Structures are given as C-alpha cells and as structure tokens.
Amino acid sequence: MKKPRIKLNKLNSTQESTTKKAWEEFNPAPYMKSSKKGLDEELIRQISREKNEPQWMLEHRLKSFKLFQEIPLPSWGPDLKKLDLNAITYYAKATDSQTTRWEDVPPDIKRTFDKLGIPEAEQHVLAGVGAQYESTVIYHNLRKKFREEGVIFEDMDKALREYPELVQKYFMKCVSPALHKFAALHGAVWSGGTFLYIPKNVAVDMPLQAYFRMNAMGMGQFEHTLIIIEEGAQGHYIEGCSAPRYGVDSLHAGCVEIFVKPRARFRYSSVESWSKDAYNLNTKRAIVEKDAHMEWVSGNFGSKVTMLYPCSVLVGEGASADHLGVAFANTGQVQDTGAKVVHAAPNTTSKVVMKSLSRGGGVSLYRGLLDISPQAENAVSTVSCDALILDEASRSDTLPVMKIKNQSATIAHEATAGKINEEDLFYLRSRGLNEEESESLIVNGFIEPITKELPLEYAVEMNRMIELEMEGSVG
Amino acid sequence: MNEIIFKKQTHLERIFFVPPKNLGDNPEKEVFRIEEGADAKLFFFYLYGRQNIVEKEFYIHENACVECHTIFFGDDSQIIKITEKFFILGKGVFARFFTRGLVSENAKGEYDGCIRVEKDAQMTDTKLDIRAFIFGKTAECRMVPMLEILANNVKAGHAATISKIQEDELFYLCSRGLNKAESLKLIIDGIFQSVFRKVSSQDAVSEVIEYLEKKYKTLVL
C-alpha cells in the first residue's frame, strides 16, 4: 500500500503551546519523599524485594552493581564528569498499581498521557500500548486479536514473574552489563520497560508502542525492553519518551535488546524528546539471525547529552539491517549518535542513513562502527551521513570507523556537511513563504528519508518537533 | 618533527617516498604548512619497509589550494598505519585529499584521516576520498575518515570504499586473452593511474610502477 504524502502544516500558536506543554509540564511528586538519591546495595535489594523477583535476578543486579563501581567513565565522547550520579533518584514509584484501562490511571498521570496523545493513538492506530511513569509501568494493554495469536506484550516486571524461563534465557544476553559503565548501572537498577514476544510466523500488522515519561526533578529512568521475534514473525514497535525541564540533571540509561530469529522482520522506531537537562545514555542492540531483517528508525531530540549507538549484530547468513536516524542538537546540546553494525556471517548486508542538524551552538556527532569479521564473506554495506549546520555557532563531527577483515566485502561510506542552500531559500521566499517557514520546509525535506519510514502520525509529530526546534532560527 | 612550509603564493609539487628505500625506520611526525594563497600538490607513496607508521598534520591557510594524494601498497605481513589530520584554518580554501591503497597477504592497512574546518574557515570546499582494496583472505583494513566542522558556510565531505578486486573484471580481461597475473596488473594499474597521471616526475612514476610490477607476481589469486 502506498504511503500517503506527509502534508506539512505550520503549527498555529495553540498547537505549539499544547505540544510544548505536554513535554514541559510536570505533576507534583509526593512519592519522591519516600525515595532517596544515590545508589547503594540496600536500594538494589529494596527494588528486587518490592518487585518480588526471583533470586537469579537479584544476583544479576548485585553483580552488575559491582561492575558499575569498577568500570570507569568512557574516555571518549562528551564530558560526563559533570553528571553527579549521587544526586540522581534511581527508583521512585508514583503509583502501586498497573491497569489495562485508562480510566483507572491516576487522573494527573492520565492527563499527562492525554496531552502526549497516547490514549488517542492507541484507539486508532496501535496494536497495544505500554505507558511508564517514573520507574513503573502504569498502563499496559494489547488488542485481543494479537493476544489470541500468542503475542505477549507486557511490562518487564510482570513478564519476569509470569514468564521467568523465557526472560532468564534472554535477559541481558544481547547487551552484557560488562559492556560499559551505564550498561552495568542499568543491570543493577533497571525497572519497568517492555517485554514483547511474537510467536513463529505471526505478523503483528499494527505498531505496538511504549511511552516513557520522567516527571520528578533529578529522576533516573532505567527501563528494559526485551523483544523476541520468533522465526518468520513480523512486528513494529515504537518507543517515545519525554521529561520536563527543571534545570537539574536527570539520567536515562535504558536498554533495548532485540532477538530477530531466522526469516523474521522487525522494525524498532523511537522518538526521544528528553528535557534539555537530561543525560540520555541508552544502549540498544539486536542480534539478527539467518535471512532475518532488522530496521532501526530513530529521532533524537532534546537531552543535554545523548550517547546512543544502536547496534545490529548480523550472526546468520543472509541477515540484514537498516539504520535510519535523525538527530537535532540545539543550544547547549550534544547529540553523539550513530550506528554500529557487525557483519559476522556470509552474505550479510547493511545500510546506514543518518541525518543531523545543529543550531544555536549545538554539537552533533555521527559516531559509527562497521565491523566485517573474517567469516563474513561477500558482506555489503553502505553508510551515508549528512549534516546541516544552521548557524555559525554550531558544530558537526563525523567519526566512522570501518574494520574490514574479509577481502570479499564491499563497503561504501560518504558524508557531507554544509548549510542550507541560499538558492533553495531564495526560491521558496519568492513563492511567498517567510524565511523561517522556508528553512523549516527545507529541513523537513532534508530528514524526509527518515520520517517517511514512520507511521504517518509519528512522522507528523517528528516534523512538529523540528518546527519547534527551529523556532527563532532566523533573525 | 619534520616541518615543510609551502610559502605564500607559491606553486609547488612534492613527491615523498615513505620511508626511503634503504632505511628501516619511519620519519617522525611530519607537519606541512601551506600558507596563504599557496598552491600545493603532494604525493605520498607508502611502499617500502616492514612497518609504515606515519603521522602527518597539514595546516592550510586562507585561500590556499591543496591537492594531496596518498598511495599505499602492503603485502607479506607489512603493517601500514597512516594518520593524517588536515586543519583548515582560513577562508576560501579549496582542498582535495585522495588516498588509494591495496593490502594483501597478511598485510594490515590502517588509515585515520580527519578534516577539521575551524570556525573562521568559512566558504571553504574540502573533501577526503579514500579507496582501498583487500586482496587475499588474511589481509585486513581499518579506515576512519573523520570530519570536524566548526564553520557553517562550508562544503565538506568524505567518501570511502573498501572492496576486493572485482572477479567479473578479472574474468573479462582473461576472456580477452590475458592471463590472471596480467589481468590483475592491469586492474591495479587502473586503480593507481588516477594518481600517476597527475605526477609531473616520470622518474618517480617509473619507480613506483617498477616496484609494483615486482609485487604483482607474488599476489596469490
């Protein structure tokens, strides 16, 4: 079916204020009084106790905590020394219960998700929704039709209790806690998140969504997303996230693990709009087996510092992966994003298309890794990174690393950086658009290869976010 | 540290064989300063020596025009590690950096190239273009072409490809009566010809071709 063309409508002031309000408003957080800042073994044991977890999970948390204490901060990338890890609240429960009905969600929390458009999207376009508020999932639902086909779509805490063998088999086997300091931190304090299991040959033809919302000041969110797509199955999962701005650092160190079994197809889309005082240090990885296909579509907005490099490990012959992404770095922001692809089997292919924008002194970096193993005969990969630098104060860097250990590989990489073409601007202005509208239109055209892969509603949302980021870009 | 300066308003071509044939050691870090308005063409041939570990920095000033070609050829467990950093310091610079290389038979080729366009270097046009070929099951290649762009009114880009010698090209030449070694030689010559054509010194080109022809015979198909 041909996708409808996305019609760009300039936000009117009411729409602008509604969208902005949805992100930036916050609710009172009386539950924070019973939560503490900083991390110690006692808090980890408390988390595990409250969730009624099996012993193996507590042991996993404690081992991860030890690794977290031992592994230093990364010596490359943005400066993380200013992040005071002792000032973060690692676990806070806003409500004790989870429901499958929006009417039963506490009113202030429901209002937040209403403004974000989640319940409405669920009615019209989604197969299921999970909504997380602070450290716990407060709403989760899946359409009956997919439940009957054996699809499991639960929050992680519940999945651990109801499907312990399945979770234990896969949990942090794709992303090891030893990978880096924030993977270890995640392994110690993870809470909430999504468990998605699609059985063999089942195609979920509507997207499933999870939305993660931080509310309180100085909060940390560490949701774990574990996705298993069995042989021949298909699915599309979308994650959205946001947090209000307080001027105090917050931390997001989530983890996404995806297992794509032979001949399966899976798309993971995310639109991240953290507040501009959040450190977004997420880890995402997929293991792709024989003849399977994995797609990553991501939009990174917001946050003070983002370090995010979705990784596809192609372990089966004929496996393939596409990485499409947009990153927008505005004033005071560093978007250090990219893609990692490891070709570890014959006849594997990958494509990476990254678009970045920087404005108002923002810094955008593409950091990528392409690794062709000795056994990866006839691997083919193309990487394309384009950067738009919107003013003199901003900066763009590209650091792609290619390690090729098989002579039959065919690799192509290209990158460009520049500003908006004056002639394009002139043409649009000659058609009656003002300078700000013209710039917005050109920028939306620049990112169109990415937005066209999202469901229409999310593509429109991403275009709106671009417009809001572009506000005041002229003059 | 070796420093070579291309003075203002000069037009100069320099050819470097790195390292010199009869020496085992590599030179230290090399610095090249291309001053305002200078027109510089540089050619680097990394052919000899068990280990070629080289670090070069280029400081390119306002309105300079630079064309830099690097060729490397590694076989028989040679290690070639080239690090080049191009600092674009002033406005109006036009620069093209080309690297062509082939690694075979246990050789390891590593190339780290970075174009850094400083804040004041507006209206510059720079590009880094790398093509590498891997020949043989045990050869390895690592490439990192980087861009650090601090100015907004610029054109900057890089492109990199890594592949093997295409079998259908070999097949075509063999079908025309050439044996495999002759076909391989023709293809590799074609890869490097884009550089050879630009070198004004025929003696230098002849030396490189003579070296490569000896090497072709040892390449295992």
Side-chain angles (χ1 to χ4, degrees):
Chain A
M1 184 176 80
K2 197 176 171 187
K3 277 196 171 183
R5 285 178 67 86
I6 297 164
K7 188 182 170 192
L8 178 68
N9 292 317
K10 175 87 176 103
L11 289 174
N12 60 41
S13 57
T14 307
Q15 283 173 315
E16 275 177 30
S17 60
T18 303
T19 308
K20 259 188 170 164
K21 267 188 183 173
W23 294 337
E24 294 181 1
E25 276 183 354
F26 53 87
N27 297 322
Y31 47 85
M32 292 297 278
K33 285 182 193 154
S34 58
S35 307
K36 67 179 187 185
K37 290 185 187 182
L39 180 59
D40 54 27
E41 190 176 309
E42 189 195 318
L43 176 64
I44 293 169
R45 288 182 183 276
Q46 178 198 331
I47 294 170
S48 193
R49 198 167 47 241
E50 284 192 18
K51 292 175 185 291
N52 201 20
E53 290 178 341
Q55 182 63 22
W56 71 264
M57 181 56 80
L58 172 61
E59 286 165 9
H60 171 91
R61 288 184 185 272
L62 294 171
K63 272 188 205 156
S64 299
F65 181 51
K66 191 160 179 294
L67 280 169
F68 167 69
Q69 291 171 311
E70 289 165 1
I71 300 174
L73 285 173
S75 57
W76 49 270
D79 183 8
L80 299 177
K81 292 193 199 80
K82 289 181 188 164
L83 170 61
D84 183 359
L85 291 167
N86 295 320
I88 299 291
T89 301
Y90 288 87
Y91 182 69
K93 268 170 69 170
T95 171
D96 280 324
S97 58
Q98 186 190 115
T99 177
T100 58
R101 287 161 26 104
W102 281 109
E103 297 76 22
D104 297 334
V105 172
D108 57 341
I109 299 175
K110 182 175 180 303
R111 249 193 321 273
T112 298
F113 284 101
D114 275 335
K115 284 181 190 164
L116 292 165
I118 306 304
E120 187 185 347
E122 183 190 13
Q123 279 175 32
H124 295 126
V125 295
L126 296 173
V129 163
Q132 178 157 337
Y133 192 81
E134 308 292 26
S135 300
T136 51
V137 175
I138 51 90
Y139 174 89
H140 221 280
N141 202 6
L142 175 68
R143 286 190 193 227
K144 189 176 165 200
K145 158 185 155 176
F146 297 113
R147 264 187 273 131
E148 287 169 352
E149 289 184 358
V151 175
I152 303 171
F153 182 58
E154 292 290 357
D155 79 272
M156 261 316 294
D157 297 330
K158 192 171 175 188
L160 179 58
R161 289 192 298 274
E162 296 197 357
Y163 311 99
E165 291 89 16
L166 196 51
V167 171
Q168 186 172 16
K169 184 178 172 188
Y170 291 100
F171 186 85
M172 293 201 89
K173 300 292 191 301
C174 180
V175 175
S176 160
L179 190 64
H180 57 76
K181 190 173 184 75
F182 294 96
L185 174 62
H186 175 89
V189 295
W190 76 269
S191 179
T194 299
F195 178 76
L196 171 61
Y197 176 85
I198 303 182
K200 201 168 167 180
N201 295 325
V202 170
V204 179
D205 55 7
M206 301 170 80
L208 296 150
Q209 182 181 15
Y211 199 95
F212 303 102
R213 175 77 181 171
M214 276 200 271
N215 176 64
M217 186 165 35
M219 190 61 208
Q221 197 166 64
F222 308 95
E223 81 288 350
H224 192 94
T225 300
L226 177 56
I227 298 172
I228 303 149
I229 311 299
E230 288 285 11
E231 206 173 316
Q234 291 181 39
H236 180 188
Y237 172 79
I238 307 175
E239 275 187 359
C241 39
S242 63
R245 186 172 189 180
Y246 291 98
V248 171
D249 290 343
S250 56
L251 172 63
H252 174 240
C255 179
V256 175
E257 299 184 283
I258 305 175
F259 295 84
V260 191
K261 300 291 186 169
R263 294 180 300 105
R265 295 185 68 89
F266 190 71
R267 175 179 285 187
Y268 172 96
S269 303
S270 67
V271 181
E272 303 196 12
S273 179
W274 298 109
S275 67
K276 290 176 185 177
D277 43 34
Y279 283 77
N280 180 20
L281 310 175
N282 228 355
T283 310
K284 301 182 182 180
R285 184 176 282 191
I287 294 180
V288 190
E289 296 191 31
K290 185 170 163 39
D291 294 327
H293 181 69
M294 176 68 206
E295 292 174 0
W296 302 88
V297 182
S298 50
N300 294 295
F301 306 86
S303 83
K304 179 194 286 188
V305 172
T306 289
M307 293 178 76
L308 176 59
Y309 322 100
C311 174
S312 297
V313 185
L314 309 179
V315 298
E317 181 169 354
S320 58
D322 290 347
H323 289 241
L324 310 173
V326 174
F328 199 124
N330 216 320
T331 307
Q333 292 181 275
V334 177
Q335 294 280 4
D336 192 328
T337 61
K340 290 160 69 168
V341 187
V342 178
H343 290 248
N347 302 316
T348 48
T349 57
S350 62
K351 182 174 91 171
V352 176
V353 177
M354 290 287 161
K355 305 274 186 184
S356 68
L357 301 107
S358 40
R359 188 202 147 206
V363 179
S364 67
L365 288 106
Y366 169 79
R367 196 184 297 270
L369 170 66
L370 178 63
D371 191 323
I372 310 288
S373 309
Q375 65 269 33
E377 290 288 326
N378 301 319
V380 176
S381 180
T382 60
V383 179
S384 167
C385 323
D386 298 311
L388 264 187
I389 309 171
L390 295 173
D391 54 46
E392 289 181 8
S394 304
R395 176 174 170 163
S396 172
D397 291 354
T398 312
L399 291 90
V401 176
M402 290 170 272
K403 293 183 188 173
I404 315 299
K405 295 183 196 112
N406 188 301
Q407 57 136 5
S408 64
T410 303
I411 309 300
H413 170 95
E414 60 175 351
T416 62
K419 67 172 198 168
I420 291 180
N421 191 320
E422 300 274 353
E423 285 179 8
D424 294 344
L425 266 178
F426 178 78
Y427 175 77
L428 291 171
R429 294 198 63 192
S430 73
R431 291 306 199 185
L433 297 172
N434 67 33
E435 199 163 339
E436 197 172 300
E437 288 167 339
S438 304
E439 274 206 0
S440 269
L441 201 62
I442 291 169
V443 166
N444 276 309
F446 175 69
I447 67 166
E448 193 260 354
I450 316 304
T451 53
K452 73 177 184 182
E453 300 300 329
L454 291 170
L456 179 61
E457 292 72 16
Y458 296 92
V460 169
E461 187 64 26
M462 194 183 280
N463 284 331
R464 283 190 179 153
M465 287 161 82
I466 293 277
E467 284 186 14
L468 285 169
E469 294 289 347
M470 296 287 292
E471 257 180 15
S473 62
V474 177
Chain B
M1 185 177 80
N2 298 325
E3 186 166 333
I4 297 170
I5 300 173
F6 291 70
K7 289 281 189 187
K8 279 185 189 184
Q9 308 298 334
T10 56
H11 174 95
L12 195 62
E13 180 182 302
R14 287 292 297 258
I15 301 165
F16 299 84
F17 284 94
V18 188
K21 263 195 288 196
N22 298 319
L23 298 178
D25 295 327
N26 286 307
E28 296 169 349
K29 179 161 95 170
E30 293 178 305
V31 173
F32 298 84
R33 295 189 193 280
I34 294 112
E35 292 189 353
E36 195 178 316
D39 183 350
K41 243 188 200 170
L42 300 111
F43 299 89
F44 299 90
F45 298 102
Y46 297 94
L47 303 171
Y48 311 109
R50 179 60 39 202
Q51 279 197 101
N52 268 305
I53 298 172
V54 182
E55 199 179 325
K56 303 200 299 261
E57 289 179 357
F58 297 77
Y59 296 89
I60 304 170
H61 292 267
E62 189 171 319
N63 293 322
C65 183
V66 179
E67 195 176 321
C68 177
H69 297 267
T70 299
I71 280 185
F72 64 85
F73 186 105
D75 70 345
D76 191 26
S77 303
Q78 272 179 300
I79 292 173
I80 299 172
K81 192 172 172 182
I82 303 168
T83 304
E84 295 181 322
K85 195 145 187 180
F86 307 99
F87 295 90
I88 313 300
L89 301 174
K91 60 183 186 194
V93 167
F94 179 89
R96 293 287 184 267
F97 312 106
F98 300 98
T99 298
R100 301 284 181 268
L102 188 144
V103 285
S104 73
E105 291 305 303
N106 298 317
K108 283 193 176 120
E110 290 187 16
Y111 179 85
D112 289 69
C114 178
I115 294 179
R116 182 180 168 96
V117 181
E118 297 291 354
K119 210 171 161 57
D120 293 331
Q122 299 286 9
M123 293 183 289
T124 54
D125 184 345
T126 56
K127 189 167 178 192
L128 177 62
D129 185 327
I130 312 162
R131 310 261 179 247
F133 297 86
I134 305 181
F135 196 80
K137 291 189 177 181
T138 47
E140 287 182 21
C141 195
R142 184 184 78 91
M143 277 202 193
V144 187
M146 292 182 275
L147 291 174
E148 293 177 7
I149 312 297
L150 284 80
N152 71 315
N153 188 7
V154 302
K155 284 185 196 173
H158 64 226
T161 63
I162 303 174
S163 67
K164 63 176 180 177
I165 305 288
Q166 296 300 320
E167 278 167 15
D168 51 357
E169 290 176 3
L170 271 173
F171 177 78
Y172 175 78
L173 291 171
C174 290
S175 74
R176 290 309 200 182
L178 299 171
N179 64 32
K180 272 194 174 166
E182 288 165 338
S183 305
L184 192 61
K185 175 182 173 310
L186 208 60
I187 292 171
I188 297 176
D189 278 348
I191 292 165
F192 294 139
Q193 268 306 321
S194 60
V195 178
F196 294 159
R197 264 200 301 266
K198 298 187 178 186
V199 181
S200 59
S201 162
Q202 285 310 299
D203 288 341
V205 171
S206 301
E207 180 169 343
V208 175
I209 290 175
E210 189 186 322
Y211 176 88
L212 289 175
E213 285 193 351
K214 283 183 201 156
K215 289 291 179 178
Y216 294 155
K217 292 173 188 160
T218 64
L219 289 177
V220 176
L221 289 159

